[in-house]
Amino acid sequence: MIRHTVAFRLRHPKGSPAEAAFLADALVLAAIPGVTRFERLRQVSPKNEFDFGFSMEFADATAYQGYNEHPDHVAFVRDRWVPEIETFLEIDYVPL
Amino acid sequence: MIRHTVAFRLRHPKGSPAEAAFLADALVLAAIPGVTRFERLRQVSPKNEFDFGFSMEFADATAYQGYNEHPDHVAFVRDRWVPEIETFLEIDYVPL
């Protein structure tokens, strides 16, 4: 199991329609083959600069690669992630 | 539900007995009342500086506060975390 997470902050004002639209449209990622346990999360620690997070799990590296290369993921990164995200950090975990 | 996570890098050499001892002794945290779904994780993304992570869940802020103030947590932070951790980042999530 590989848990892929990304913590991020949007360029949009907090509580704005643009923020809500981004979070809603991100559900396209949950439908990509190989994605399990997809979660949209609010980041609540004051000890970092992020407001939200996504978390998802893959069975193995092949499934993760399939997600990365999937046209829906590529399009989301190009059309939504890059223009709308101010800062982010990817953290990926496997069981110890 | 509050998911408390911390990604970190140890001062110890990778694969060292000191590293193994830290990761083993951290299980004391899993036994603190209110802690659920405690996980010790290996961080595998090349896009950050961390080697490991812990993740745990609390039912609510009261349970989280109880963990933070518990003598076993306070002692672990003082005696193991502060001297043995080189860098870390806390990220806390709640469902969106």
Side-chain angles (χ1 to χ4, degrees):
Chain A
M1 183 280 283
I2 304 168
R3 184 179 303 151
H4 170 53
T5 77
V6 58
F8 59 93
R9 190 172 70 225
L10 287 160
R11 299 184 191 276
H12 308 304
K14 294 186 184 181
S16 64
E19 176 187 272
F22 178 90
L23 297 169
D25 294 348
L27 285 178
V28 68
L29 303 175
I32 294 175
V35 173
T36 65
R37 298 177 63 89
F38 185 88
E39 296 175 293
R40 298 175 302 168
L41 303 156
R42 187 176 299 280
Q43 202 294 120
V44 295
S45 171
K47 300 178 183 176
N48 66 63
E49 60 184 341
F50 308 113
D51 295 323
F52 298 102
F54 296 149
S55 177
M56 64 200 78
E57 294 184 3
F58 301 100
D60 52 33
T62 301
Y64 191 177
Q65 183 179 353
Y67 164 82
N68 273 330
E69 298 173 352
H70 192 282
D72 289 350
H73 177 254
V74 172
F76 186 82
V77 170
R78 179 190 64 222
D79 299 337
R80 308 300 300 275
W81 189 265
V82 170
E84 298 183 50
I85 295 290
E86 185 164 301
T87 185
F88 71 99
L89 178 66
E90 294 180 71
I91 298 178
D92 292 350
Y93 289 123
V94 298
L96 196 61
Chain B
M1 182 279 284
I2 303 168
R3 183 179 303 150
H4 170 53
T5 77
V6 57
F8 60 93
R9 191 173 70 226
L10 288 160
R11 298 184 191 275
H12 309 303
K14 293 184 184 182
S16 64
E19 176 188 272
F22 179 90
L23 296 170
D25 294 348
L27 285 178
V28 68
L29 303 174
I32 294 175
V35 173
T36 65
R37 297 177 64 90
F38 185 88
E39 295 175 293
R40 297 175 302 167
L41 303 156
R42 186 176 300 280
Q43 203 293 122
V44 295
S45 171
K47 299 178 182 176
N48 67 63
E49 61 184 341
F50 308 112
D51 295 323
F52 298 102
F54 296 149
S55 178
M56 65 199 78
E57 294 183 5
F58 301 99
D60 53 32
T62 301
Y64 190 179
Q65 183 178 353
Y67 165 82
N68 273 329
E69 298 174 352
H70 192 282
D72 288 350
H73 177 253
V74 172
F76 186 82
V77 169
R78 180 190 62 223
D79 300 335
R80 307 300 300 275
W81 189 265
V82 170
E84 298 183 51
I85 295 289
E86 185 164 300
T87 184
F88 70 99
L89 179 67
E90 293 180 72
I91 297 179
D92 292 348
Y93 289 122
V94 298
L96 196 61

